[in-house]
């Protein structure tokens, strides 16, 4: 018997930038799922049985499992591409470049900037490397109000959660920098309905007494 009618299940951790971008994509896709909020220090066996690597997001549906956030984004995009910017060839190339740059180099230095005591280099070294990337991004985008203009893109969803984490590490310093378009972009993002729906707080999922939480709890207007 097919279980294609069963709602997808999303394991998520609210503050994780990878899970955040997956949730945003799901909101934009207008697909409903069952959200299971977890704590990374208390990962449920149900999630680990689906994805032994133990990271979020994990999206399970129709006997399939997606445990990479970009795969979840692409899945959501395929469900409702009309909600996302349709790239020109130049925009697609730029998007792919910056998604790869943020997922590799920016994330590497972001972690070492935020948790400098765990690493040998000083936080200023890693802050500087992130700064170079944000200045390069600032020179490449419109930010009016999203990266490529009025319609949100896959690039917006993919990198804004990481830029937000970088800002949180030292907000005063961040707001004094010369990447003004990036600052305006992040400000618009943080004031958007998409951000607030994606960041709604939910209790930790309890496999002993599971409560079904439908996500998103509201739709974008």
């Amino acid at each position: 018997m097919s279980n294609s009618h069963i709602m997808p299940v999303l394991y998520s951790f609210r503050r994780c930038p990878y899970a955040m971008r997956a949730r945003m994509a799901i909101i934009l896709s207008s697909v409903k799922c069952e959200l299971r909020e977890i704590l990374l220090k208390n990962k449920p066996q149900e999630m680990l049985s689906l994805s032994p690597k133990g990271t979020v997001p994990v999206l399970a549906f129709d006997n399939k499992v997606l445990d990479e956030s970009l795969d979840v984004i692409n899945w959501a995009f395929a469900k409702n591409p009309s909600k996302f910017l349709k790239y020109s060839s130049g925009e697609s190339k730029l998007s792919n470049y910056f998604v790869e740059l943020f997922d590799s180099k920016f994330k590497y230095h972001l972690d070492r900037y935020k948790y400098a005591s765990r690493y040998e280099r000083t936080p200023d070294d890693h802050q500087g490397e992130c700064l170079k990337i944000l200045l390069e991004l600032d020179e490449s985008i419109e930010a009016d109000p999203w990266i490529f203009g009025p319609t949100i893109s896959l690039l917006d969803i993919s990198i804004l959660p990481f830029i937000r984490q970088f800002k949180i590490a030292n907000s005063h310093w961040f707001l004094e920098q010369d990447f003004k378009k990036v600052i305006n972009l992040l400000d618009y993002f943080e004031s958007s309905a998409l951000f607030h729906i994606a960041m709604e707080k939910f209790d930790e999922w309890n496999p002993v007494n599971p409560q079904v939480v439908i996500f998103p709890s509201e739709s974008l207007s």
Side-chain angles (χ1 to χ4, degrees):
M1 181 177 178
S2 170
N3 63 351
S4 60
H5 65 285
I6 296 176
M7 191 175 294
V9 174
L10 177 68
Y11 290 90
S12 179
F13 174 57
R14 181 176 177 270
R15 296 199 307 272
C16 171
Y18 294 106
M20 189 188 306
R21 65 188 187 180
R23 294 195 305 273
M24 289 193 294
I26 288 171
I27 293 165
L28 287 164
S29 75
S30 300
V31 172
K32 295 288 188 180
C33 67
E34 177 188 342
L35 185 139
R36 297 179 178 179
E37 178 73 9
I38 66 132
L39 297 180
L40 296 178
K41 62 184 179 182
N42 186 30
K43 300 168 186 175
Q45 186 57 46
E46 288 80 358
M47 185 187 89
L48 294 173
S49 67
L50 295 170
S51 178
K53 66 184 181 131
T55 61
V56 290
V58 175
L59 182 70
F61 61 98
D62 294 350
N63 297 317
K64 300 176 184 177
V65 175
L66 301 179
D67 61 3
E68 294 289 343
S69 59
L70 293 179
D71 290 338
V72 177
I73 290 173
N74 288 331
W75 172 84
F77 172 79
K79 291 288 186 183
N80 195 354
S82 66
K83 293 292 184 71
F84 301 83
L85 176 70
K86 184 178 181 180
Y87 284 144
S88 67
S89 59
E91 289 166 343
S92 180
K93 184 177 180 180
L94 192 67
S95 178
N96 290 338
Y97 169 75
F98 276 113
V99 169
E100 169 60 26
L101 187 61
F102 270 79
D103 274 29
S104 56
K105 189 174 180 181
F106 189 87
K107 183 63 166 60
Y108 174 87
H109 290 292
L110 173 62
D111 287 344
R112 286 153 181 79
Y113 172 47
K114 288 167 50 187
Y115 309 113
S117 61
R118 305 178 189 176
Y119 303 97
E120 293 181 0
R121 291 172 63 180
T122 68
D124 288 346
D125 293 333
H126 298 292
Q127 183 190 68
E129 293 298 323
C130 290
L131 174 61
K132 292 176 187 176
I133 294 171
L134 291 177
L135 288 171
E136 181 182 359
L137 176 67
D138 201 76
E139 294 175 356
S140 306
I141 65 175
E142 295 178 23
D144 186 25
W146 299 108
I147 286 176
F148 295 114
T151 305
I152 196 166
S153 71
L154 296 179
L155 180 57
D156 291 293
I157 291 170
S158 298
I159 69 174
L160 278 165
F162 297 111
I163 299 174
R164 176 176 174 268
Q165 280 204 337
F166 184 67
K167 173 192 173 183
I168 290 171
N170 188 335
S171 296
H172 181 74
W173 177 89
F174 182 92
L175 295 172
E176 289 185 333
Q177 300 312 301
D178 289 332
F179 40 71
K180 301 306 180 188
K181 285 186 283 187
V182 169
I183 292 171
N184 290 338
L185 170 67
L186 185 64
D187 183 63
Y188 183 81
F189 167 61
E190 290 180 325
S191 64
S192 69
L194 175 63
F195 174 78
H196 289 287
I197 295 170
M199 295 303 288
E200 183 177 354
K201 292 182 179 180
F202 297 99
D203 293 334
E204 180 185 0
W205 182 70
N206 181 358
V208 177
N209 182 26
Q211 303 295 314
V212 175
V213 173
I214 306 302
F215 180 87
S217 63
E218 60 181 298
S219 300
L220 287 174
S221 57

